[in-house]
Amino acid sequence: LKIENITGPVTVEIYNLEGELVHSQTAVTPGEVVWDLTTKRGFLVGSGKYLVRITGPNGSVVRTVAVLR
């Protein structure tokens, strides 16, 4: 999953629908953030919907993504 047009330092957090944090990463330079569809423990995530929260200096946004295996 690629998140493009990052303009500054952001934190990207991925949650499952139960509200559990699946993955988190920080980008400090402009560009893009890539999630390799693994959990914070290194396992591949299963099929399903996930919430992506992108938090930066100007606030945050939440998007829903679906992973199909």
Side-chain angles (χ1 to χ4, degrees), residues 25-62:
Q25 86 186 69
T26 301
V28 294
T29 59
E32 62 187 34
V33 174
V34 177
W35 177 38
D36 60 1
L37 303 179
T38 59
T39 66
K40 56 187 175 182
R41 295 185 183 178
F43 298 105
L44 287 174
V45 297
S47 296
K49 290 184 182 178
Y50 294 87
L51 300 174
V52 179
R53 181 169 69 177
I54 305 165
T55 306
N58 297 326
S60 65
V61 295
V62 176

